[in-house]
Amino acid sequence: MSDPHNNRILPPPHVLSALHPKSLEVPCIVVIFGGAGDLSHRKLLPALYNLMVDEELPKKFAIVGFSMETLDDDAYRAFARSGIEEFSRQKLREEVWNRFAPMLHFVTGSFTEAGDYQRLRTRLEELDQAVGSAGNRVFYFAIPPGFIDRCASGLTAGGLVNPPGSDKGFTRVVVEKPIGHDLASAVEINSELARYFDESQIFRIDHYLGKETVENLMVLRFANAIFEPIWSARYIDHVQITVAEQEGVGTRAAYYDKAGALRDMVQSHLLQVLCMIASEPPRSIHPDAVRDSKLDVIRSLRPYEPSDIDRVAVRGQYEEGLCGGEKARGYLSEEHIRPDSKIETFVALKCYIENWRWAGVPFYLRTGKRLPKRASEIAIYFKHVPRVLYNSRPAPALSPNMLLIRIQPDEGLALNIISKVPGQTLRLNPVNVDFHYKTASPEAYETLLSDVIVGDQTLFMRRDTVEAAWRFVQVILDVWDQSGADPFPYAAGSWGPTESALLIARDGRAWRSL
Ligand code: BG6
């Protein structure tokens, strides 16, 4: 096959599809532990429905909700329908729903009783017969981490787990982030999982890796010739990663007030995004090759000393304020939050990757709740041009080039370049070359569920990477836990505490205004 523009040989489409078989061709049953819970309602069932709309759901397929609630199949279908009506990316269409609904089933179970697993097994075997799912199972643990061990051992004791390569069908498990609460508990959960499953069967979800723009980072970097030569300390001055949320703690207070922004967002989402920007070109697009190069980034992060923390990390907690035009209460007045909670709802961090590519380039990370808007982006700031020619006058210096990668909303890219203002006098101005994706990208959970079904682990976190990420943030957690100090306050609707601006200002830089 040749490319009409330059006659180069392209890999035939079947080579690509052999690397990534279509989920349509993989029969299986997805069993959702916690099937009647919030994640299922808002994300998983709508994502599966969207895969059906896009003709990406296997033809031989069933979904089984498994949890404590006493629901029958019809009640579960009604539950799924209301989730889809409220949260689906694409509107519910009766014709699609009529094909989707019969795939939904429910089994009531407590996760602890052997008898529950027997009933689950019987039901799955009946469904195998009815739909032809060939014994292939995905067990999705949409449950608190404390239950994982019980569920994994229950499945194993119930004869529901086949080893990799078994001719009785594949077994895969999906585990939600956060994996643990700190390094020790992450190691414990991973060890429990490893007791029952092979690493090739474990899919640890960080939904940021399923976001279209995050996935596209590799393509941007390695399918274009123009970026890689300038992607290093030689040309890049610093990088800013921002994940801003306008919402407060919402309905997840019980979880959040134990976690906080460092565990909830930085340890997983922000570090994963950092890896995608900073990794070396992987040796191939094989899942482990990609994950090896990401692991190298985390392992190259300069470890913090406890004495560094005050200079490199800022934590904040929102107070009452005006957010999105509405009055928002402070974190401590939110329902189910401890009145003396020291949990941070904002984090700003500076880190360095100590390898040849990035030596000396600071990476600034910030994330928080109740910030002025919802916006996730990566800003790559290039170095100043030499102070000659157009940049020769001391002031004002030309602003350096900046490549902006918008993860959400309004996914796209912008490149800030200097240009001449048309006219007789020589005036220079920054202009934006702006590209918006403007297509309806699939939701992260659609991409990730489809990857689990086909068994592609590229976008899932491997055990070593998760533990390396915990190891990196652990020193900050320890210092904050031991300090007894309060997080810095910031008004809801502001960009975090003043100390966050100072963290970057000390280096003569400023956060990008969004
Ligand atoms: C989750 C966090 O992982 O990501 C939440 O637990 C956060 O606290 C959410 O709100 C943000 O995801 P998104 O896709 O809305 O940016």
Side-chain angles (χ1 to χ4, degrees), residues 29 66 107 114-128 137 139 155-162 168:
I29 304 180
F66 181 56
V107 174
D116 294 338
Y117 290 92
Q118 281 317 317
R119 275 187 301 107
L120 179 63
R121 182 178 174 171
T122 310
R123 189 68 179 274
L124 296 181
E125 285 169 356
E126 285 163 12
L127 286 169
D128 276 339
R137 320 259 190 260
F139 296 111
L155 284 172
T156 309
L160 284 142
V161 177
N162 295 329
K168 293 192 191 129

Side-chain angles (χ1 to χ4, degrees), residues 17 68 70 85 91 121 145 166 256 272 299 358 367 377 413 445:
S17 59
M68 297 278 286
T70 357
E85 280 171 345
K91 264 176 108 62
R121 182 178 174 171
S166 161
Y256 196 85
Q272 290 294 327
R299 286 196 173 150
W358 295 114
T367 181
E377 58 160 56
L413 294 177
Y445 277 97

Side-chain angles (χ1 to χ4, degrees), residues 43 176-178 206-208 211 243-245 247-249 252 255-256 260-261 263-265 268-269 369 374-376 407-408 443-445:
K43 298 285 184 191
E176 273 287 328
K177 70 134 268 262
D206 177 317
H207 76 279
Y208 264 63
K211 288 189 189 277
V243 176
E245 295 186 89
E247 297 214 344
V249 71
R252 297 167 68 234
Y255 152 76
Y256 196 85
R263 290 183 174 91
D264 185 47
M265 299 295 288
S268 49
H269 302 327
K369 296 208 183 277
R374 175 170 187 254
S376 299
I407 300 175
Q408 65 187 26
E443 284 252 341
Y445 277 97

